[in-house]
């Protein structure tokens, strides 16, 4: 299970205040465990079993197995909540010998699209267009480009057999699939994109990539049970949500999520989207930013230690090493000034760097540490559910609707008008 430690040397939110706030939000926690009626159309993720039960897992596995039989490349077309969760897991823990995964539908850059198409030539290609409302420009246009590419290579009829779409029932995407003979699976109607990690939206592409979606779901389910059983004073997600909001009230307007493992880069994108779209509204909300350490200790690190005091930091610390997580620095007869590291393991050096960084940063800001057991499918499941539930609680404490994103309409309306929609 995840654990949460706090280093708050300047007593920005002393434990007595945290306990008081936990008590104050005990009733809210119980309401959120049940799911509030006003968010009925957004809470399909709250019970993992609803969209990632045995039946759905079996169907996702079956679909993935049939694609894996022939596919050498699988293109995931989707943006934001229709892309980030699958990509977070695939990019971090995908087995090396699985189907190659390529991403599209997340850009309008001609350069990027041309580059993406070049990776497909000469390989057996399958595509999965994931779009909740099928109006978003990036996936809509990429889907057309890739359909045309497949038709050029395989002919219309054979191309159709290589196309899988994930969309809401009754959507224009479903109608298109019926007309053209593409396979179609359901995007949950009662979950917004960024909360769909545990549904066909992400489970199918993850399974195609060879991820153990059974383990992922198990991790999420265990996290759900734990968080729903824990009372307010012991509830990990409520504690995290309360701390975020206390720091926010005390003037810390930015949360920096950092880790010493570059494989978490796409998980960071998922986390940023989750909190930015859920809380950044009504002129409120913590700005979520991320730090890829140790690299960004040499850039962002200066600001974190010495710049304007506007952030607190949450370290994501991985406890157990995986099989690729050891590398001993061998000795050398060349005097390069690094002899003091002879025989040391990079895992230990990296951990020493984490300890030193947390110690330094905690002099100037509150530092939280979320310890996660390991980087595997099971623990990704835990992380997805933990942060989704914490985000729900945190948005409620802040007083915003965590499930809408009215702000993104402003640019979209202007763009649609400019392009003549
Ligand atoms: O969380 C959300 O709802 C959004 O970020 C969506 O996932 C994103 O805008 C993509 O939406 P769609 O799949 O409908 O194109």
């Amino acid at each position: 299970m995840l654990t949460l430690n706090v280093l708050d040397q300047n007593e920005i939110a002393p434990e007595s205040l945290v306990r008081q706030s936990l008590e104050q939000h005990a009733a809210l926690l119980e309401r959120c465990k049940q799911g509030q009626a006003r968010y009925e159309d957004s809470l399909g993720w709250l019970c993992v079993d609803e969209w990632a039960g045995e039946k759905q897992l079996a169907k996702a596995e079956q679909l993935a197995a049939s694609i894996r039989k022939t596919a050498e490349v699988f293109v995931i077309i989707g943006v934001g909540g229709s892309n980030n969760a699958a990509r977070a897991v695939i990019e971090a823990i995908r087995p090396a010998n699985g189907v190659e995964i390529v991403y599209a539908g997340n850009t309008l850059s001609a350069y990027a699209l041309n580059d993406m198409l070049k990776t497909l030539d000469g390989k057996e290609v399958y595509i999965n267009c994931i779009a909740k409302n099928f109006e978003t420009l990036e996936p809509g246009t990429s889907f057309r480009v890739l359909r045309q590419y497949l038709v050029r290579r395989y002919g219309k009829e054979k191309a159709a057999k290589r196309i899988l779409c994930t969309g809401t029932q009754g959507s224009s995407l479903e109608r298109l699939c019926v007309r053209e003979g593409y396979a179609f699976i359901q995007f949950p109607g009662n979950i917004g994109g960024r909360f769909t990690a545990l549904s066909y939206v992400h489970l199918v592409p993850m399974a195609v990539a060879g991820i153990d979606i059974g383990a992922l779901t198990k991790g999420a389910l265990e996290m759900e049970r734990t968080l729903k059983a824990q009372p307010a004073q012991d509830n990990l997600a409520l504690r995290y949500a309360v701390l975020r909001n206390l720091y926010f009230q005390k003037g810390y307007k930015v949360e920096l999520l950092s880790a010493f493992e570059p494989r978490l880069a796409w998980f960071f994108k998922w986390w940023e989207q989750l909190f930015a779209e859920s809380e950044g509204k009504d002129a409120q909300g913590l700005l979520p930013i991320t730090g890829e350490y140790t690299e960004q200790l040499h850039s962002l690190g200066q600001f974190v230690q010495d710049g304007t005091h506007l952030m607190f930091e949450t370290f994501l610390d991985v406890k157990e090493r995986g099989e690729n997580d050891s590398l001993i620095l061998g000795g050398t007869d060349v005097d390069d000034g690094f002899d003091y590291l002879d025989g040391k393991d990079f895992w230990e050096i990296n951990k020493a760097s984490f300890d030193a960084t947390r110690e330094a940063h905690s002099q100037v800001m509150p530092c939280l540490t979320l310890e996660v057991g390991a980087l595997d499918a099971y623990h990704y499941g835990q992380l997805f559910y933990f942060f989704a539930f914490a985000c729900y609680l945190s948005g409620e404490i802040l007083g915003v609707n965590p499930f809408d994103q009215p702000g993104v309409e402003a640019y979209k309306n202007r763009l649609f008008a400019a392009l003549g929609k």
Side-chain angles (χ1 to χ4, degrees), residues 79-82 130-136 139 187 192-195 273 277 405 412:
V79 71
S82 296
I130 307 171
K132 185 167 186 182
N133 68 26
F134 201 50
E135 280 186 1
T136 312
F187 195 114
R194 58 190 176 276
F195 288 88
Q273 187 208 352
E277 277 198 328
Q405 56 281 331
K412 275 191 189 170

Side-chain angles (χ1 to χ4, degrees), residues 76-83 104-105 128-141 143 164-174 177 184-188 191 193 196 201-202:
I76 302 174
I77 306 167
V79 71
S82 296
N83 169 321
N128 181 193
C129 176
I130 307 171
K132 185 167 186 182
N133 68 26
F134 201 50
E135 280 186 1
T136 312
L137 278 196
E138 293 87 344
T141 51
F143 184 33
L164 166 67
C165 294
T166 312
T168 36
Q169 263 177 352
S171 63
S172 60
L173 183 58
E174 184 181 24
C177 289
F184 179 82
I185 42 171
Q186 202 186 342
F187 195 114
I191 316 185
T196 53
V201 177
H202 300 277

Side-chain angles (χ1 to χ4, degrees), residues 64 68 74 76 90 93-95 98-99 101 204-211:
R68 275 205 308 264
F74 185 69
I76 302 174
I90 293 168
I93 60 169
R94 178 170 72 94
V99 177
I101 305 293
V204 172
M206 284 188 218
V208 172
I211 303 295

Side-chain angles (χ1 to χ4, degrees), residues 78-80 83-93 103 106 257 261-273 290 292 380 384:
V79 71
N83 169 321
N84 289 342
R87 196 169 192 175
V89 177
I90 293 168
E91 293 300 298
I93 60 169
Y103 303 91
N106 55 349
L257 181 74
E261 181 44 68
R263 283 191 293 161
L264 283 162
W266 279 97
F267 182 79
F268 279 2
K269 284 212 176 194
W270 174 84
W271 177 87
E272 271 174 5
Q273 187 208 352
T290 53
E292 284 176 48
Y380 269 99
F384 284 138

Side-chain angles (χ1 to χ4, degrees), residues 25-44:
H25 294 107
L28 170 72
L29 173 67
E30 294 312 313
R31 288 198 297 278
C32 291
K33 286 178 183 176
Q34 302 302 320
Q36 292 145 292
R38 69 174 182 281
Y39 298 133
E40 199 182 13
D41 58 355
S42 305
L43 288 173

Side-chain angles (χ1 to χ4, degrees), residues 409-420:
E409 298 308 317
Y411 95 87
K412 275 191 189 170
N413 292 337
R414 285 170 175 80
L415 177 61
F416 287 150
L419 294 175

